Amino acid sequence: MSRHRLAAIMFTDIVGYTSLMSSNERKAIDIIKKNRRIHWRLIKKYRGKWLKEMGDGTLASFSSNVDAVMCAVSIQKATSELDIPLRIGIHQGDVIFEQADILGDGVNVASRIQGLAEAGGIAVSETVYNEIKNKEGLESEFQGEQVLKGLESPIGIYKISCHDFSLLDYSIDTGELIKPLNVGKTKTIFIITLIIILAYSINYFMPLMKSTEFEKSIMVLPFNNFTGNDSLDYVFESMHASLIGDLGRIGKLRVISPYTSKKYKDSGLTLAQIAAEQNIDVFLDASVLCFGDSICFQPSLISIDKEEKQLWSDRYTKDFSQILNLNNEVTREITAEIDVTLTPQEENLLTESRTVNPDAYEAYLRGMRYWGMGKKEDLEKAQKYFELSLEIDPNYALAHLGMSSIYGGLVIHGFMSPAEAKEAKEKSILKAFELDSNLVEVRTSFALRYTWGKWNWKRADIEFRKAIEINPNYPFVIAYYGQYLTIIGQIEKGLKYSEKAMRLDPLNSLYHSIHGMNLKNARKYNEALILLEKLCENEPEQGIGLPALWAVYHELEQYDKALKIAKRIYNLKGNEQATTVLDAGYNEGGYNMAMQRTAEMMINLSDSTYIPPWQICTLYCRAEMKNEALDWLEKAFNEHDPNMTFISVDPLFDFLREEERFKEILESMNLPLSK
């Protein structure tokens, strides 16, 4: 993601360092360590942003020319007292911040100006001089106009010095700097463990009523890796998700999910364009500057009004044993800067932490990615990753939840009977609850269990509310709470929740699919059609959105399109026989006959393989065959098929609502009798 910005660019360089390195390597290393410590502290002090280190040189940016110059004279004072011969160049210009680099003429000019400075000196361009020439305590000397490489016209160069050191902050810290990057596998795992768990350290509940409205919205941009070690990117992705998880527990703050944030990484859009698309108030742009025995982390908070404005920036250097405090500090700074008040529960929440094995966590995340796609092969891949996660850590609650979701997915999509899945599913979810009942994922899973597994609507509502209290920004629980509300007849309220999930994770197809289903069940077919057609065009194999689109085409009596989607679904399931029968039935007697013949084919197949009665029931519904549809609906009810929960609102069953057998089923499930 490229971002243009007007900035003061500061280049520094140790004079004669290469020669010193050749003659006295130990002394050279000691000097660069002390130089680096001085730079980190003073760039932070003067609200600058450390960009990168290039051998013995450093590159930093500032939003203010005055801050850049005051930082430079402070650095020169501190380094001179340690006999470090430094030269500094500063220029203000338009630059491009692009991932782990900074580009543009402003950078090149600052580099050329730095080369004009003498040892212990500071050289600035005329642009910078014009803003600092009246600054108390500073002295300037015109060095003439210089023709710099790459520029057509000469620019004025000024030498800057300070005669009143009381204005400066240049205290010297000669203690040892962080150790050089030397990350072994074991240490990396331990560090990531400490980092990742922050997103899941949730031991206090926040009132649900405080999560219904957001005061501000924030997107945390993918972290910039300025360590020079690209192999650590996966660590910083975990840090990114962890910080979003911590921010997400603040009830009044709308926090965009990691999934959507990462989708914008290489979009080429400016922050202003992203803000307009997703209604963002502020962005957090953060960089990891060093990673080893210590981690150096620099976050910057940026608002978008008419132009980008840096609200706050800081730099943290943490020993890895203290890394658990990092997200807490950043979260507090952000909420204070944008005037979001923390409740006492939220204050306490930010101090809690737990551990998790990072390899197990990574396997779990990969599994959840495939689970969301919904196709059989995706569920199988997801299951392998969850099993791998449990091999690494048998007591990992999230992986047990993953296994539970696999069995649920296999049942929902007709690959396994509820009876076959019941025991394993119950065992997995109860184990997860035993290990950690305060994880938002665990509470969400219990809510799903009581909704689709047990049809216990009152207990389901309790579990959904507890999950949302834990994390009001967790789109998964919010989306499915929307479905739950729709099922029990609170359709408009359910739509608000599924729409809210899309706002939190606007580029995630799962939540678009769920909202599309809710719109269809609310009889808002045109809205559902627009949403689902776009979704299935962008993700043609989306295993949840396609059935919803089939249903919408059916309700709109666009039978040619409905048939086309039905064939696509069966092809994705590898059921070529069904697609053949659909075509033959359609040629025989149109859409209704295609549905009837496919149902009959499924019944014949059920002698040798499991075919969910629910699937046969819905085919007979589409064929408008009441008795047959009711027969197979009763069989689905007896099997406790989780899809049964939708019969109270799904328009597919409207032609059965006056039937006594249908009313008896609804009454047995304690569902509303009317649509």
Side-chain angles (χ1 to χ4, degrees), residues 448-464:
L448 302 183
R449 173 179 182 251
Y450 283 108
T451 303
W452 284 273
K454 294 185 174 295
W455 303 342
N456 184 334
W457 317 117
K458 186 176 292 187
R459 181 62 187 272
D461 187 67
I462 292 171
E463 296 298 334
F464 271 119

Side-chain angles (χ1 to χ4, degrees), residues 127-176:
T127 305
V128 175
Y129 165 76
N130 286 335
E131 285 198 24
I132 60 92
K133 60 186 178 183
N134 296 321
K135 177 68 177 175
E136 181 183 0
L138 296 183
E139 293 180 348
S140 60
E141 181 181 340
F142 184 55
Q143 302 292 295
E145 291 191 336
Q146 301 286 337
V147 178
L148 302 180
K149 184 178 179 181
L151 295 183
E152 295 180 0
S153 303
I155 65 171
I157 301 296
Y158 291 79
K159 176 183 176 181
I160 303 297
S161 59
C162 179
H163 62 77
D164 184 358
F165 296 130
S166 66
L167 300 175
L168 306 181
D169 179 347
Y170 63 91
S171 57
I172 304 166
D173 182 357
T174 59
E176 280 299 305

Side-chain angles (χ1 to χ4, degrees), residues 19 42 72 87 103 245 272 322 413 597 647:
S19 299
L42 291 175
R87 58 187 175 195
L103 309 168
Q322 298 297 315
H413 295 288
R597 295 297 185 223
I647 66 172

